[in-house]
Amino acid sequence: MKVSWDAPAELNGPPPLYHVERTDVSLSDAQGQVIKGRRFTGSGSFRFSSSTLPVNTDFTGLQLSFRTRVEEGVMLFAVSPGEQEEYVALQIHNGRPYFLFDPQSSAVALSPRNDGGRRYNDNQWHHLIATRKQAVGTIIVDNQYSGSASATSGSTIIGQNTGVFIGGIPENFTLLRQDTGQAQLVQHGFAGCLRDVMVQKSSGTTEVWEPLDWESALEKHETYESWEGCPAVSEDGAYFLGHGFLKVKPEIFTGGDYFEISFEFKTDQLNALLLFAYDVDGKDFILAELQGGVLFWLLRWGEQTAELSVWVGLSYCDGGWNTLSVLKRGLLASAGLNDVYEQERKGMGGPLTISSPLYVGGVPPGVVHPALNKHSLLHGFGGCIRDVRFARGPVVSLAAVSSSAVRVNLDGCLSADTSVNCRGNDSILVYTGRDRSTEDLTLQPFTEYLYRVMALGEGGWTAGPWQRGRSRETVPQSVLPPSRVESVNGSSVEVSWEEPAEVRGVIEKYVLKAYSRDRPFSSLISATFPHSQHLTGKGHAVRLELGSETFLPSCSVWALRDLSTILIA
């Protein structure tokens, strides 16, 4: 891994000495299968040039395949400069895909009408086609569900845009549009996977469609690379990489005299800040943290302070699922982890006021509070959180109630149930020097890591934020010969094979080759087949055309990945 960084914005002295620190991502699974696609975690986005969509035209055409488990998320968005009178968007709203467009003063929102109101956030692949011809828009999903509607303003041209955003809208982007109902843009980034994104470039008797060139993006924010792929298998939940946080919208949790917060989590961390929130104008706060086998639940309302410690041992950080519940009921405070509970009664009840966001899994660097200084190790949570409930209400999705997340993947949790050992603050130093780049040569293949840079000078030291990175893939291992070769006719055979047993990375395609046993030095017959993503983990079968001459073939399969080729048999 190559790590590079800029000098501090203000040196305040001679050039500093740099330390580069590395730590493992929590519950990382380099063996997990990945498939071809562009992964979005709910907080990442790309910005492409305005010319990505044809401008000053009476047509729009977009195609893509998507897979998601969340109910809300922007997949694509482009808006005109100035008053933002025109826009085009693809989004998931209430679990359904929508095509939005406005050629001025007439916003249109399209979703399939003949699908019985089904939801598409089922973590399965769906294909979407959205087109506009003058004022008429059409959406088609999975080649069978469709809907259409027309703009009524009389305008048919959509002009310039400020850039095309894929995956979400950056926090610093100001949205001026005041759309309502289904035409309103959702305020969440997309969490899931996209592939096969196509843009219509011309209309008329012959339509021209071109694939989106991901490498042409002008800006990238918290994005995954194409070679990293998408997890083939995942489960519900928010995945905290470590040293990050999730910020819940302030209106979701405001405290009170009676409240309860519960959720399930799994982690490999011995120490982790789980929950923190406070009153901006007062002294009230709540804080839940794991420290050395103990769950601490601290809260203050008025002049009352409750401090509970629940000894549960080290079983909570073995990678298995745990159930946590913390509550306040009048003058009673209680905390429990895996059916071990403690409670404390104070002399007086009363409401506990919370006006800050509820922070889950850590706090931003700018949050300063006496309770954090006194009680917390400020070690961010790493692992997975799911089934969050407030006041024993329905399960809420952290993707739906969060306003921002840093180093948190909202597209689901890795489903590997492997036993792990408890980790402390196990970061290691990988570089010391005055250069502003280094290479880390001690990594495992296709594994995620977190890095940060510290700058040291005569007056002290400071550290930058953690940054995620992944080491590159390796060639597949333990590859078997074709499992079946069966003659179809005199000039073709059907060949079956199993996926390699150990793959760290995305298999792009297979190359099947055959030669004549009677004439081993004759030219090889070769055919290329894309990796069947819907058959991940299963066998593959294709027909190989051998030509007009009949001979007994001997087949081999090559699995091709980025910069890698391996002979399977």
Side-chain angles (χ1 to χ4, degrees):
M1 188 94 69
K2 183 175 182 180
V3 184
S4 57
W5 57 94
D6 295 327
E10 297 181 11
L11 288 176
N12 295 324
L17 181 69
Y18 297 106
H19 289 339
V20 177
E21 192 177 7
R22 186 192 79 209
T23 188
D24 294 337
V25 166
S26 288
L27 301 179
S28 179
D29 180 20
Q31 302 289 344
Q33 284 188 319
V34 291
I35 58 177
K36 187 177 181 180
R38 182 67 72 159
R39 184 182 183 186
F40 292 87
T41 62
S43 57
S45 64
F46 292 83
R47 185 176 74 86
F48 294 86
S49 70
S50 60
S51 61
T52 302
L53 292 180
V55 299
N56 298 318
T57 62
D58 66 349
F59 71 91
T60 303
L62 298 164
Q63 293 188 46
L64 56 80
S65 293
F66 69 90
R67 188 190 72 175
T68 185
R69 61 173 73 249
V70 301
E71 292 188 344
E72 310 283 327
V74 175
M75 293 185 285
L76 180 146
F77 173 67
V79 67
S80 59
E83 298 299 318
Q84 301 182 352
E85 296 176 318
E86 303 162 0
Y87 80 136
V88 172
L90 296 177
Q91 66 180 23
I92 302 295
H93 177 51
N94 290 329
R96 295 178 54 78
Y98 280 85
F99 173 35
L100 314 179
F101 69 91
D102 185 359
Q104 275 196 20
S105 305
S106 183
V108 178
L110 292 171
S111 193
R113 296 180 178 178
N114 59 339
D115 60 357
R118 65 170 293 184
R119 294 178 177 237
Y120 296 82
N121 58 325
D122 53 6
N123 205 37
Q124 301 297 314
W125 283 106
H126 300 283
H127 185 248
L128 184 154
I129 304 174
T131 58
R132 178 186 67 90
K133 182 59 178 175
Q134 296 184 347
V136 181
T138 302
I139 185 171
I140 303 173
V141 180
D142 294 338
N143 297 318
Q144 57 180 322
Y145 307 118
S146 62
S148 62
S150 301
T152 58
S153 64
S155 178
T156 62
I157 302 297
I158 293 182
Q160 298 287 334
N161 63 72
T162 59
V164 179
F165 295 97
I166 305 287
I169 305 173
E171 289 187 27
N172 59 0
F173 184 88
T174 302
L175 185 64
L176 302 178
R177 294 186 62 93
Q178 300 294 320
D179 299 294
T180 59
Q182 295 176 344
Q184 184 176 12
L185 201 70
V186 301
Q187 300 300 304
H188 295 276
F190 179 73
C193 194
L194 298 179
R195 72 182 187 207
D196 303 330
V197 182
M198 304 281 289
V199 179
Q200 185 180 355
K201 292 296 187 178
S202 67
S203 182
T205 56
T206 302
E207 294 182 356
V208 176
W209 291 77
E210 294 182 1
L212 178 69
D213 179 11
W214 292 99
E215 300 304 318
S216 68
L218 303 178
E219 296 177 7
K220 297 190 294 185
H221 175 70
E222 298 293 333
T223 58
Y224 275 68
E225 298 295 334
S226 61
W227 55 266
E228 295 184 82
C230 299
V233 181
S234 63
E235 56 187 352
D236 285 327
Y239 178 36
F240 292 70
L241 305 184
H243 299 284
F245 65 89
L246 182 143
K247 184 165 66 172
V248 176
K249 299 173 184 177
E251 64 269 20
I252 299 298
F253 177 74
T254 58
D257 195 17
Y258 293 80
F259 64 83
E260 180 177 358
I261 304 174
S262 63
F263 55 84
E264 294 183 356
F265 72 90
K266 61 180 178 180
T267 185
D268 56 2
Q269 307 241 320
L270 180 63
N271 305 314
L273 178 60
L274 298 175
L275 301 169
F276 180 69
Y278 62 98
D279 181 17
V280 175
D281 300 317
K283 297 181 179 180
D284 292 6
F285 72 90
I286 63 169
L287 188 153
E289 182 163 285
L290 299 170
Q291 289 187 24
V294 180
L295 167 64
F296 289 94
W297 172 231
L298 303 99
L299 58 165
R300 173 172 177 162
W301 65 96
E303 299 302 319
Q304 305 294 314
T305 301
E307 299 183 6
L308 286 81
S309 56
V310 185
W311 167 253
V312 291
L314 304 183
S315 61
Y316 64 77
C317 51
D318 62 359
W321 285 105
N322 306 274
T323 301
L324 175 142
S325 174
V326 292
L327 60 83
K328 176 187 181 298
R329 294 177 180 169
L331 49 78
L332 175 70
S334 175
L337 182 61
N338 297 337
D339 297 323
V340 180
Y341 291 89
E342 294 289 344
Q343 64 182 29
E344 180 179 349
R345 293 182 180 272
K346 306 305 294 185
M348 184 179 299
L352 189 153
T353 301
I354 297 296
S355 55
S356 77
L358 174 65
Y359 295 101
V360 181
V363 294
V367 174
V368 179
H369 193 276
L372 294 173
N373 297 333
K374 182 178 180 181
H375 300 290
S376 177
L377 298 178
L378 294 176
H379 196 288
F381 174 78
C384 190
I385 294 179
R386 71 181 184 188
D387 292 351
V388 180
R389 287 181 169 90
F390 295 99
R392 296 192 177 183
V395 171
V396 300
S397 166
L398 285 179
V401 300
S402 66
S403 60
S404 65
V406 175
R407 287 176 289 281
V408 181
N409 294 350
L410 300 175
D411 59 336
C413 296
L414 302 178
S415 57
D417 292 324
T418 56
S419 178
V420 297
N421 296 320
C422 290
R423 296 170 47 199
N425 185 11
D426 55 356
S427 62
I428 63 172
L429 192 64
V430 298
Y431 172 77
T432 298
R434 300 191 181 277
D435 294 334
R436 288 192 284 112
S437 68
T438 186
E439 290 188 1
D440 188 358
L441 306 176
T442 60
L443 308 179
Q444 295 297 311
F446 207 68
T447 302
E448 287 185 285
Y449 298 94
L450 297 175
Y451 290 86
R452 73 170 179 177
V453 177
M454 294 177 287
L456 292 80
E458 292 293 335
W461 65 275
T462 187
W466 292 90
Q467 179 65 41
R468 186 200 72 91
R470 187 194 294 271
S471 54
R472 291 301 298 249
E473 68 272 43
T474 59
V475 295
Q477 304 294 320
S478 304
V479 186
L480 300 175
S483 56
R484 183 176 63 90
V485 180
E486 183 175 327
S487 176
V488 176
N489 52 44
S491 61
S492 62
V493 293
E494 185 174 278
V495 183
S496 301
W497 67 92
E498 301 298 324
E499 285 202 1
E502 182 179 340
V503 179
R504 294 192 177 189
V506 179
I507 294 180
E508 296 286 345
K509 56 188 175 181
Y510 293 93
V511 177
L512 196 65
K513 296 186 177 183
Y515 68 91
S516 171
R517 286 183 176 175
D518 296 332
R519 291 182 296 168
F521 299 105
S522 61
S523 299
L524 291 175
I525 294 175
S526 177
T528 300
F529 303 94
H531 179 51
S532 300
Q533 298 175 13
H534 64 285
L535 291 176
T536 296
K538 302 179 181 180
H540 301 256
V542 298
R543 179 176 294 187
L544 178 64
E545 299 297 331
L546 301 176
S548 59
E549 183 176 6
T550 301
F551 57 85
L552 183 64
S554 177
C555 295
S556 63
V557 181
W558 300 66
L560 269 66
R561 300 171 44 205
D562 290 350
L563 306 179
S564 305
T565 305
I566 184 167
L567 181 64
I568 290 186

